[in-house]
């Protein structure tokens, strides 16, 4: 069966531009997570969606970051006015309820802000 | 808040050597503990997990025991192979945080023939 997929795999953008990163979770997984993997910060949680509940945005580093999940499936992470410190690998994971959950990770999107 | 502290790397071993990567944690609840592995050029994948005290997670010859008294979850393997070269992440999921993972900083392991 298909795993978590992410697109694009690589994205190079100029400082100040907006970017959108996409995640397709495993079918039937109601929980979806975004993480960021960067050299300075390691792996850090960004945002979490569970079913139709309001998302937990407690990990978003600034208001330039937002995410949505349409129809309880595909999710898009948007970064507005990108900065060089946003350069990182953005990972998406999905899991089945209930917890403790085992999260299945996508291959990530490598974002480079010039 | 929750935190995970891993043994600093990088770790370099010869094939068939014994491996230990230390991991300790701080959590407000009674967390589940995980080891994830990231092989070169591949995505993050679950290696093993334990959900309660004294549980032992195991997979591919790796083991880790959930030690509540020492808040530790050290990863061990009796005889490493070159193919074990990867980055290893210790992580926890606190039941109060709905499955969100808190990761350690990662340990790079290189195994030489």
């Amino acid at each position: 069966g298909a795993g978590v997929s992410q697109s694009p795999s690589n994205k190079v953008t100029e400082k100040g531009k907006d970017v959108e990163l996409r995640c397709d979770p495993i079918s039937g997984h109601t929980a979806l997570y975004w993480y960021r993997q960067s050299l300075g910060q390691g792996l850090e949680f960004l945002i979490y969606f569970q079913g139709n509940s309001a998302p937990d945005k407690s990990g978003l580093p600034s208001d330039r970051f937002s995410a949505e999940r349409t129809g309880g499936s595909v999710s898009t992470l948007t970064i507005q006015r990108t900065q060089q410190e946003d350069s990182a690998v953005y990972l998406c994971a999905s899991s089945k309820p209930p917890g403790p959950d085992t999260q299945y990770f996508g291959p990530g999107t490598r974002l480079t802000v010039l | 808040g929750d935190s995970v502290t891993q043994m600093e790397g990088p770790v370099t071993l010869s094939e068939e050597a014994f491996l230990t990567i230390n991991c300790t944690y701080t959590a407000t609840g009674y967390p589940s503990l995980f080891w994830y592995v990231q092989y070169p050029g591949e995505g993050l994948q679950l290696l093993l997990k334990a959900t309660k005290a004294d549980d032992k997670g195991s997979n591919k010859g790796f083991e880790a025991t959930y030690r509540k008294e020492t808040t530790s979850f050290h990863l061990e393997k009796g005889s490493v192979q070159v193919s074990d070269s990867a980055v290893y992440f210790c992580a926890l999921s606190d039941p109060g945080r709905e499955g969100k993972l808190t990761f350690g900083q990662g340990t790079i392991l290189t195994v030489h023939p």
Side-chain angles (χ1 to χ4, degrees):
Chain A
V4 178
S5 60
Q6 293 185 244
S7 61
S9 55
N10 281 285
K11 176 71 177 178
V12 180
T13 190
E14 294 179 348
K15 179 181 172 181
K17 301 286 189 183
D18 298 352
V19 296
E20 285 189 351
L21 313 179
R22 177 186 169 106
C23 171
D24 283 89
I26 293 172
S27 177
H29 282 193
T30 60
L32 186 148
Y33 309 79
W34 284 97
Y35 295 89
R36 179 169 70 173
Q37 186 176 18
S38 56
L39 281 177
Q41 301 297 325
L43 258 167
E44 53 182 345
F45 163 77
L46 296 177
I47 188 170
Y48 160 69
F49 296 88
Q50 171 57 48
N52 295 320
S53 302
D56 179 340
K57 306 177 183 180
S58 60
L60 294 179
S62 78
D63 59 8
R64 296 185 295 105
F65 288 72
S66 63
E68 62 178 19
R69 190 177 184 192
T70 54
S73 181
V74 171
S75 178
T76 302
L77 177 69
T78 301
I79 309 173
Q80 296 178 307
R81 305 181 303 281
T82 52
Q83 304 295 312
Q84 288 183 332
E85 61 263 28
D86 299 335
S87 296
V89 176
Y90 289 81
L91 296 174
C92 176
S94 70
S95 69
K96 277 184 186 178
D101 300 319
T102 298
Q103 295 178 27
Y104 294 85
F105 283 79
T109 294
R110 181 175 295 279
L111 174 66
T112 303
V113 182
L114 302 177
Chain B
D2 294 348
S3 66
V4 176
T5 302
Q6 270 182 250
M7 165 181 176
E8 287 192 20
V11 175
T12 302
L13 295 173
S14 297
E15 205 164 27
E16 299 183 1
F18 183 85
L19 169 71
T20 300
I21 301 177
N22 289 338
C23 172
T24 57
Y25 67 90
T26 302
T28 53
Y30 199 166
S32 294
L33 302 174
F34 306 84
W35 277 100
Y36 280 83
V37 60
Q38 190 170 34
Y39 297 104
E42 297 185 17
L44 202 63
Q45 55 188 276
L46 178 69
L47 180 61
L48 54 83
K49 69 175 182 179
T51 59
K52 59 183 187 295
D54 300 324
D55 266 3
K56 178 184 286 187
S58 61
N59 186 25
K60 300 182 180 181
F62 290 88
E63 294 182 339
T65 300
Y66 190 142
R67 300 289 188 201
K68 188 169 186 293
E69 63 276 13
T70 54
T71 60
S72 65
F73 194 55
H74 305 320
L75 183 68
E76 297 182 336
K77 186 174 186 182
S79 177
V80 293
Q81 305 300 311
V82 172
S83 57
D84 294 327
S85 298
V87 184
Y88 292 82
F89 292 90
C90 185
L92 70 81
S93 174
D94 192 315
R97 298 192 70 231
E98 297 176 290
K100 288 170 286 190
L101 289 165
T102 300
F103 287 91
Q105 64 267 45
T107 302
I108 299 172
L109 171 66
T110 302
V111 180
H112 292 298

